[in-house]
Amino acid sequence: DVLCRQRIASLASYRPLYQAVLDAELTLMAEVALRLRNQFGAKPRQLRVDGVVVQIPKKHAKRLQEWAEDTWAAGKRFKVSQLE
């Protein structure tokens, strides 16, 4: 018989993994906020990891809808909706 020592490597906590994912998403949302400010002059009212709430003039609504249809980094597409 041959014996060998096995070592199992695992994370003691998934926190670093979760933190990396959240940081990447927040960086992407910051890019969205920056583009909104540069292209539409819109300042974010609320910035979260999963979305940005902005107020834009009605004259930019159609352009914003077209802008949202572009595919961004990592193949992401953004949903644009109007709050009532």
Side-chain angles (χ1 to χ4, degrees):
D1 293 328
V2 176
L3 297 175
C4 65
R5 186 177 202 169
Q6 290 184 340
R7 182 176 176 210
I8 299 174
S10 67
L11 293 173
S13 168
Y14 285 102
R15 187 179 188 292
L17 179 63
Y18 294 144
Q19 191 64 47
V21 170
L22 289 174
D23 288 346
E25 288 294 318
L26 188 58
T27 300
L28 183 61
M29 296 317 297
E31 181 184 352
V32 169
L34 182 64
R35 281 187 172 186
L36 285 168
R37 175 178 269 174
N38 291 342
Q39 292 181 6
F40 301 102
K43 294 180 183 177
R45 301 287 183 225
Q46 186 180 57
L47 178 64
R48 299 183 310 188
V49 173
D50 62 346
V52 178
V53 176
V54 295
Q55 183 177 357
I56 63 166
K58 288 185 180 185
K59 65 182 180 180
H60 294 308
K62 184 179 178 190
R63 202 170 95 204
L64 180 63
Q65 198 68 36
E66 293 168 357
W67 179 79
E69 293 172 3
D70 293 344
T71 302
W72 287 43
K76 292 210 177 227
R77 296 184 67 115
F78 293 96
K79 178 182 176 186
V80 172
S81 56
Q82 184 174 350
L83 299 176
E84 298 296 327

